[in-house]
Amino acid sequence: MVFIIFIDFDYFYAQVEEIMDPAIKDKPVVVCVYSGRTENSGAVATSNYIARSIGIKSGMPLPQAMKIGKDRAVFIPIRKDFYKEFSDKVMGTISTYSDKMEIASIDEAYLDVTDECDTFQEAISLGQEIKEKIYKDHKMKVSAGVSINKVIAKILGDMAKPDGLKYIGQSEVDEFLNNLEVKKIPGIGSILSVKLKESGIIYIKDILKADPKNMLSILGNSKYNYLMEIAENRYNKPVEERVRKNFGRYMTLPENTRDFSIILPMLQKAVDSAYSKAPGIPGEISAIGIMEDLDIVSRSYTSASINKDRAYEMAKELMEKILATDERKLRRIGIRIGKINTRINTNESLDDFFGV
Ligand code: TTP
Ligand code: CA
């Protein structure tokens, strides 16, 4: 028996904005991606539930959203680095509950809690405990699904929105699958579900009676197998820790400052820490400045491979560039490395590159 908890943060980007500025939380909140072409061109990244209730949703063109929202909605430009940092902290909290964790996106994670729980009831309680802990530590509302595999846990998590928890244990799985519409299954988009409907497939179980040739021509091999596994309740893809593409470290300065004698040692510590986490040599380094008003500014440098000495130099140079074009004081600094080349991930070459 396997117990899986799926967690998805509610209206994530917009909720972060509410948490940072509680004064806006009773208004429609819209996070916008401005394309920069004309003043209001762009699209809605996401919106809070009040905005959704008046029709402002992800992907909507901004002029349309602004027409609906007029003066009652709050429009906020997207700040992806900030949401990523927030996400990292929440994921850090979640990771303390199990070693087997899969971060599926910026706001979705799966935990395998089989080793932590003797009974399904304990897994449900643990799901509830994680939700409460995330709210207590980060003021973030999330939804959770608890079940015996990743797919059912995710479907339940989606159904539990907002701020809910749903569960289906082994004894209820059959009944759940009997009533499960194929369009609710992750990976089956609206186009595919319309095509399936035309072939008489509305519920996942309908696929068991369908003509395999017809199904294969609509779905292709891997999606057909995936749906058959779900329908026959033998889907058991494990929770897999994904290889992280970026490694970062943020540090809070002892005071808000522009003084390099304070900033530089922190930058070096952040470089040390980011390099200690990475499984190879990076090809990209970014310096991130979190300003006194919490705005985030970053600068990056790319090269075939960046050893640690070079990283110290570049971190300093990039941070100097940030300060040269910005008059604010820094509150926190961060270093992020990416484009990690793991092919030179042998102990010898790592030792050479890292100078240890
Ligand atoms: P989702 O989890 O799809 O949506 P959500 O968290 O905003 O809302 P829900 O309560 O329904 O889970 O996406 C996570 C984040 O990804 C979202 O907060 C913003 C971003 N995003 C975009 O930038 N563009 C998009 O079109 C979508 C769907 C999401
Ligand atoms: Ca979400």
Side-chain angles (χ1 to χ4, degrees):
M1 182 51 55
V2 176
F3 304 133
I4 307 290
I5 300 176
F6 170 75
I7 292 169
D8 184 313
F9 311 170
D10 295 339
Y11 60 101
F12 179 45
Y13 295 180
Q15 198 188 162
V16 174
E17 297 296 348
E18 283 182 4
I19 293 165
M20 299 319 294
D21 180 8
I24 64 175
K25 93 175 184 345
D26 296 323
K27 298 178 183 177
V29 175
V30 186
V31 175
C32 310
V33 187
Y34 291 93
S35 68
R37 234 166 288 137
T38 65
E39 200 190 331
N40 284 340
S41 68
V44 172
T46 195
S47 56
N48 68 356
Y49 283 72
I50 302 175
R52 290 182 199 187
S53 73
I54 57 169
I56 301 176
K57 294 183 178 155
S58 293
M60 178 180 270
L62 279 188
Q64 197 183 340
M66 285 174 173
K67 211 166 139 197
I68 301 171
K70 284 199 203 88
D71 34 24
R72 52 185 169 149
V74 185
F75 293 90
I76 299 170
I78 191 166
R79 35 177 183 162
K80 197 107 193 262
D81 285 336
F82 191 70
Y83 310 139
K84 178 70 179 70
E85 198 195 344
F86 203 106
S87 166
D88 286 348
K89 286 190 201 150
V90 179
M91 294 298 183
T93 298
I94 298 172
S95 72
T96 62
Y97 288 89
S98 169
D99 292 337
K100 291 186 191 154
M101 173 170 172
E102 177 175 335
I103 298 174
S105 76
I106 193 165
D107 78 335
E108 295 178 316
Y110 297 90
L111 281 182
D112 183 327
V113 295
T114 314
D115 292 342
E116 282 73 19
C117 302
D118 290 327
T119 63
F120 187 62
Q121 200 56 45
E122 283 179 36
I124 300 167
S125 304
L126 189 60
Q128 195 58 44
E129 188 183 324
I130 296 171
K131 258 176 73 64
E132 282 162 20
K133 178 73 172 162
I134 293 171
Y135 189 76
K136 184 166 167 276
D137 286 4
H138 307 287
K139 290 277 164 285
M140 164 110 344
K141 285 172 282 180
V142 306
S143 295
V146 187
S147 195
I148 58 156
N149 68 42
K150 289 200 292 186
V151 165
I152 299 180
K154 177 164 166 61
I155 295 168
L156 291 169
D158 292 343
M159 286 168 39
K161 277 180 180 304
D163 198 16
L165 179 144
K166 282 191 180 290
Y167 55 86
I168 292 285
Q170 183 68 61
S171 59
E172 303 153 314
V173 167
D174 275 341
E175 196 194 337
F176 180 77
L177 289 177
N178 282 334
N179 297 306
L180 180 62
E181 288 177 287
V182 76
K183 69 176 182 202
K184 296 263 170 67
I185 293 173
I188 305 301
S190 53
I191 296 172
L192 263 188
S193 57
V194 167
K195 278 193 193 162
L196 287 169
K197 197 174 172 187
E198 285 165 0
S199 289
I201 312 291
I202 294 171
Y203 295 94
I204 179 70
K205 291 279 184 177
D206 295 336
I207 204 161
L208 297 171
K209 295 170 285 177
D211 171 22
K213 270 199 197 126
N214 183 28
M215 289 299 103
L216 275 169
S217 74
I218 296 173
L219 292 162
N221 215 353
S222 70
K223 280 232 164 90
Y224 178 56
N225 288 337
Y226 166 68
L227 290 185
M228 285 298 282
E229 281 176 10
I230 297 168
E232 292 175 338
N233 193 19
R234 52 186 174 81
Y235 176 92
N236 63 356
K237 206 151 174 274
V239 167
E240 276 171 311
E241 190 154 350
R242 307 233 168 139
V243 178
R244 290 181 56 174
K245 294 189 196 98
N246 286 299
F247 294 82
R249 178 66 198 270
Y250 294 82
M251 304 186 109
T252 303
L253 297 163
E255 65 200 68
N256 293 354
T257 185
R258 296 173 59 85
D259 181 348
F260 243 83
S261 69
I262 299 172
I263 295 166
L264 199 55
M266 297 288 248
L267 263 184
Q268 291 181 342
K269 266 193 211 158
V271 169
D272 287 340
S273 171
Y275 268 70
S276 73
K277 294 183 207 171
I281 306 304
E284 183 175 56
I285 179 165
S286 307
I288 297 129
I290 294 124
M291 300 299 177
E292 52 196 330
D293 54 4
L294 293 180
D295 193 20
I296 297 190
V297 184
S298 68
R299 289 288 171 95
S300 304
Y301 166 78
T302 309
S303 164
S305 78
I306 305 169
N307 68 25
K308 209 156 131 191
D309 284 339
R310 183 84 181 121
Y312 289 139
E313 278 168 35
M314 289 318 302
K316 177 163 180 280
E317 216 169 279
L318 293 167
M319 194 56 79
E320 281 168 349
K321 273 192 194 152
I322 289 174
L323 289 179
T325 52
D326 202 299
E327 286 172 354
R328 292 172 288 189
K329 287 181 179 170
L330 285 165
R331 176 189 169 98
R332 310 183 66 208
I333 57 97
I335 289 294
R336 201 168 55 222
I337 53 180
K339 303 212 167 98
I340 313 278
N341 184 350
T342 46
R343 272 175 304 169
I344 35 183
N345 183 15
T346 66
N347 283 335
E348 296 79 18
S349 59
L350 274 184
D351 286 354
D352 287 342
F353 273 101
F354 290 175
V356 280

